[in-house]
Amino acid sequence: MFSSIKWKFIVVYFLLVFIAMVIIGIFIVNRLEDQQINSVTNSMEQNMETIISTSSYFASDNWVDNREGIQNTLNEWRLGSGETLYVIYDNEVPKILATTSKQFETIVGRNALSYRTIDPILVMDAFEGIKGENVIFDDSAGSDFKHLTYPVVSSVGKTMGILYMTSDLSNVANTLEETRLILTNATLMALVITVLLGFLIASSITEPIRDVTKKAEEMSMGDFDQFVSVKSDDEIGQLASMFNHLTLKLKDTIEEMDLERNKLDTIFSYMAEGVIAVDKSGVVIHANPIGLKLLGIDEIELYNNYKLDLESLGMEGIDYEEEETLNGESIFHNIDGVYKAKYAPYKNERDDIAGIIMVYQDITQEHRLENMRKEFVANVSHELKTPITTIKSYTETLMEDDIDSDVSHKFLSVIDNECDRMARLVRDLLQLSNIDYNKAKWTRKEVSLKEILKGSIAKLEILAREKQQKILCEIEDELPMISADKDGIEQVILNILSNAIKYTDNNGQIKVVAKSEEDNIKLIVEDNGIGIPNEDQGRIFERFYRVEKGRSRDLGGTGLGLSIAKEIIEAHEGTIELFSKNGEGTTVEVKLRRM
Ligand code: ADP
């Protein structure tokens, strides 16, 4: 409490006034005492001079003879109370000749040097012609007395005797005591007023300061709606208005910073890239949601000083002593995908490198597409290489001279078949490419699936017949119409049906079912052919995927039929599924929206 400015103020004021009052008091009391004693001394001197000048006895040489006259003069003389005059003459020893004391009879004739109320030194000095004075404390009266001697000298310079006067100074002491009391009271009053005034003045200074301090404390806790009232135009008022100005500025700045931070937070939160910042020790100090997902941690782990192994993220050779190792790119794989990281160092307020910021870009899709592209090129090359090699070797043989016409005819038919295969491959590739680049124009019209099915079966019937296969048809009589591209749907049916014929042995059976089902029309092509092993079923719709490459190729397949069918059905918002049991048969189910 006493450490506050208010109390320091009050104590300083108090001491100032106290010291000033004490100095003034001592000065006044001393001056008053001197003045009072001087006035007593003057009055005593005046009395003695008057008595000498008015009484003729003192002019005579022989005071002893005039002793009675002198005593009478003294008896008549009116001195102030507490004043006593002694007349002392030199009779070998100084003796009291007369006195104003009422008990003069007992006093007269006494040795002045041994009389209780007389100072012998003053008496001796006076007989030497020296006026003397002194203040002596009288034990019996309990107060100070002023002693004054006045030598009476004759015209020839002989000391005839001395007048010795004492005056009680208790009045002076009383006056001084009263003065001291008044001064003490005045000091006390002044001190009380000082404390009160000091309190008021200090309060007028400390209250606004305390107000500012309190508001600043609340500001430090994040509440910036703090204003202090400006009550004066002085330094304190200026401090208050400066504080308000500062608060407004700070509020604006913090709002701006919040806005910027929110903007950045939003950008970081919604950006497609993962952002991760680590300090020099590898502790993650910031990560956006994608970054957290990438690290496989949640925010709680992040705030628990999650330490990162940079090498596990594909960043090798990081050395904070060598700045060039802190910039670069890396590729990082995890089970979710493939990421490309760009990293760079960031600096702290002292411009020292404080850590590394990494930005991770998800390149899983690009990576997959790149792989698919490579695979596709390899597949196409491979598919073309076989017929080209065959054609080349057969042509070379044909160019030899000694080939009979039967063999050459056989060779030419092989070349023709291989050309057909290449033509089919190129046709299928073109169709896929058209679908990929949205060039395939689907002219959707109201068409009858029943009609398309009948047409397709008719086209392939001859193939089935060659293999003595039976095609059973279960097509609903009132099969609803569909909105579709006739050629596209026909292509799908031909692909599925031709597969069923291709991959079903001689004498096999193929069942084609078409029925309406809620909002859809369901087309089922079921065969009792060779079937597809379980492990291959998941990839059967991939381009160039074939269960048995050789067999499919021998049967004229390109490995693109089912993928084309899937693309077309999906372009018609339908679904295509394949169920199969190895060695038992395959069922392909197509669902298309009815009209
Ligand atoms: P392909 O032109 O080789 O027939 P598809 O894309 O049409 O290519 O079929 C892919 C592969 O799926 C075929 O190579 C074949 O192994 C298998 N497959 C498709 N349909 C059947 C089916 N009905 N029965 C058995 N296997 C089939």
Side-chain angles (χ1 to χ4, degrees):
M1 180 176 97
F2 292 102
S3 63
S4 82
I5 291 183
K6 190 190 268 183
W7 286 105
K8 282 180 187 153
F9 237 89
I10 293 169
V11 169
V12 169
Y13 267 156
F14 184 91
L15 287 176
L16 269 177
V17 171
F18 181 73
I19 292 167
M21 287 303 281
V22 167
I23 291 170
I24 291 168
I26 291 170
F27 186 74
I28 288 174
V29 169
N30 282 348
R31 287 284 300 184
L32 191 68
E33 190 176 16
D34 286 352
Q35 198 199 345
Q36 290 278 313
I37 291 173
N38 279 347
S39 121
V40 169
T41 309
N42 286 343
S43 128
M44 284 164 81
E45 269 181 356
Q46 237 173 15
N47 271 326
M48 287 197 284
E49 275 170 11
T50 317
I51 214 165
I52 288 167
S53 60
T54 50
S55 173
S56 56
Y57 300 116
F58 293 107
S60 72
D61 275 349
N62 195 351
W63 282 13
V64 180
D65 293 346
N66 295 320
R67 196 200 69 81
E68 239 169 85
I70 291 171
Q71 182 63 55
N72 288 338
T73 310
L74 294 192
N75 285 347
E76 283 161 18
W77 199 259
R78 297 247 170 267
L79 280 179
S81 66
E83 286 181 338
T84 312
L85 181 68
Y86 300 92
V87 178
I88 298 165
Y89 75 100
D90 190 13
N91 184 13
E92 287 167 9
V93 285
K95 283 198 172 163
I96 299 168
L97 184 72
T99 175
T100 54
S101 170
K102 292 222 169 73
Q103 292 85 37
F104 64 90
E105 280 150 352
T106 55
I107 297 167
V108 168
R110 288 239 194 137
N111 183 348
L113 296 181
S114 60
Y115 189 64
R116 185 176 56 82
T117 56
I118 289 174
D119 180 6
I121 296 164
L122 285 182
V123 174
M124 299 297 282
D125 285 348
F127 276 110
E128 296 296 318
I130 303 163
K131 278 184 183 175
E133 59 182 288
N134 203 357
V135 174
I136 295 165
F137 184 75
D138 186 337
D139 287 330
S140 58
S143 63
D144 280 335
F145 277 75
K146 175 85 189 182
H147 293 235
L148 196 71
T149 52
Y150 194 93
V152 183
V153 183
S154 70
S155 51
V156 289
K158 184 191 168 215
T159 305
M160 292 177 295
I162 57 171
L163 298 188
Y164 191 105
M165 195 167 173
T166 63
S167 178
D168 189 357
L169 292 179
S170 60
N171 280 342
V172 174
N174 288 342
T175 310
L176 288 176
E177 197 49 46
E178 261 173 47
T179 310
R180 275 196 201 98
L181 197 71
I182 289 167
L183 280 170
T184 307
N185 287 340
T187 306
L188 284 175
M189 262 170 70
L191 288 175
V192 170
I193 291 168
T194 302
V195 169
L196 286 174
L197 273 179
F199 187 82
L200 285 177
I201 294 169
S203 293
S204 72
I205 294 169
T206 56
E207 279 309 312
I209 293 176
R210 194 176 296 177
D211 196 21
V212 169
T213 312
K214 207 172 140 212
K215 302 268 161 84
E217 207 177 311
E218 283 181 24
M219 268 168 69
S220 74
M221 288 191 269
D223 181 1
F224 287 94
D225 289 326
Q226 301 298 330
F227 281 95
V228 289
S229 48
V230 182
K231 289 176 186 151
S232 58
D233 198 23
D234 56 11
E235 286 84 347
I236 299 280
Q238 282 166 16
L239 175 72
S241 61
M242 210 55 220
F243 177 86
N244 290 341
H245 179 66
L246 196 79
T247 311
L248 276 178
K249 271 260 168 214
L250 206 62
K251 202 175 160 190
D252 283 354
T253 313
I254 284 176
E255 274 173 5
E256 261 173 46
M257 278 168 62
D258 274 352
L259 196 75
E260 285 303 313
R261 208 192 52 221
N262 284 345
K263 254 197 262 172
L264 277 177
D265 274 356
T266 313
I267 292 171
F268 277 137
S269 299
Y270 291 99
M271 70 193 282
E273 285 84 13
V275 179
I276 301 168
V278 291
D279 65 11
K280 273 177 156 180
S281 63
V283 171
V284 179
I285 55 166
H286 182 85
N288 70 350
I290 303 279
L292 288 175
K293 203 173 140 208
L294 201 91
L295 297 174
I297 58 169
D298 56 17
E299 275 194 36
I300 299 165
E301 273 179 277
L302 176 70
Y303 292 126
N304 276 345
N305 288 347
Y306 180 79
K307 209 164 178 178
L308 192 64
D309 174 16
L310 294 180
E311 288 193 4
S312 72
L313 292 183
M315 293 162 61
E316 281 167 9
I318 296 288
D319 183 354
Y320 284 99
E321 299 303 313
E322 290 174 39
E323 212 174 323
E324 61 274 11
T325 65
L326 306 177
N327 264 301
E329 281 187 14
S330 71
I331 302 282
F332 156 65
H333 293 252
N334 71 4
I335 43 162
D336 294 328
V338 186
Y339 301 89
K340 183 169 152 189
K342 281 192 178 173
Y343 53 92
Y346 65 89
K347 295 188 172 177
N348 60 17
E349 61 285 352
R350 291 188 302 278
D351 219 25
D352 295 332
I353 290 173
I356 295 183
I357 288 191
M358 300 153 252
V359 179
Y360 281 89
Q361 200 183 352
D362 187 349
I363 54 162
T364 316
Q365 192 67 0
E366 288 88 327
H367 202 253
R368 203 171 63 82
L369 287 175
E370 178 65 18
N371 281 348
M372 273 170 66
R373 193 187 59 78
K374 284 182 190 159
E375 210 178 310
F376 186 77
V377 171
N379 279 329
V380 171
S381 320
H382 185 77
E383 290 301 324
L384 287 173
K385 205 179 94 194
T386 318
I388 287 171
T389 316
T390 315
I391 291 171
K392 176 87 180 152
S393 59
Y394 278 73
T395 326
E396 275 170 4
T397 318
L398 276 173
M399 282 193 293
E400 287 167 13
D401 296 336
D402 52 344
I403 300 279
D404 64 47
S405 67
D406 274 1
V407 176
S408 70
H409 189 263
K410 210 171 140 195
F411 281 17
L412 283 171
S413 94
V414 171
I415 292 170
D416 186 44
N417 271 339
E418 291 304 306
C419 282
D420 282 351
R421 179 204 300 282
M422 284 202 288
R424 274 198 306 278
L425 184 68
V426 171
R427 184 202 64 206
D428 283 357
L429 282 173
L430 262 176
Q431 188 158 13
L432 271 176
S433 150
N434 282 341
I435 294 170
D436 283 348
Y437 290 99
N438 289 328
K439 278 190 191 157
K441 292 267 175 293
W442 307 116
T443 332
R444 290 178 76 163
K445 283 186 191 156
E446 187 178 344
V447 287
S448 157
L449 184 66
K450 195 173 181 176
E451 292 301 316
I452 302 172
L453 266 174
K454 278 186 176 166
S456 306
I457 292 169
K459 276 185 187 169
L460 294 175
E461 216 161 17
I462 187 157
L463 283 178
R465 212 174 296 144
E466 276 174 14
K467 290 178 87 177
Q468 292 91 45
Q469 291 169 337
K470 239 193 245 167
I471 299 182
L472 300 176
C473 274
E474 280 180 26
I475 302 172
E476 206 175 272
D477 280 343
E478 300 295 316
L479 195 67
M481 302 293 270
I482 54 168
S483 161
D485 180 90
K486 187 171 175 278
D487 294 338
I489 296 299
E490 189 179 66
Q491 171 86 62
V492 172
I493 295 168
L494 284 174
N495 285 1
I496 297 170
L497 207 55
S498 68
N499 275 352
I501 296 170
K502 258 193 283 177
Y503 302 108
T504 301
D505 292 335
N506 287 1
N507 300 313
Q509 181 179 290
I510 294 149
K511 194 161 126 188
V512 179
V513 180
K515 56 183 177 184
S516 55
E517 194 182 64
E518 292 176 357
D519 292 342
N520 298 319
I521 289 183
K522 202 173 182 181
L523 166 68
I524 302 163
V525 178
E526 192 186 326
D527 64 60
N528 58 358
I530 58 168
I532 302 167
N534 270 350
E535 62 270 23
D536 295 303
Q537 286 179 22
R539 301 188 60 190
I540 218 73
F541 290 102
E542 281 179 22
R543 292 174 188 187
F544 293 109
Y545 194 83
R546 289 183 287 201
V547 178
E548 282 178 77
K549 272 203 161 116
R551 184 171 187 160
S552 156
R553 195 176 291 126
D554 291 345
L555 295 169
T558 59
L560 296 171
L562 281 182
S563 51
I564 291 174
K566 189 171 164 77
E567 300 280 357
I568 296 174
I569 292 298
E570 281 177 358
H572 284 78
E573 295 102 32
T575 58
I576 177 166
E577 282 176 291
L578 183 141
F579 311 95
S580 180
K581 253 194 175 168
N582 201 14
E584 289 184 20
T586 304
T587 306
V588 178
E589 261 187 37
V590 175
K591 278 184 195 164
L592 283 167
R593 188 161 282 239
R594 57 183 278 183
M595 280 190 81

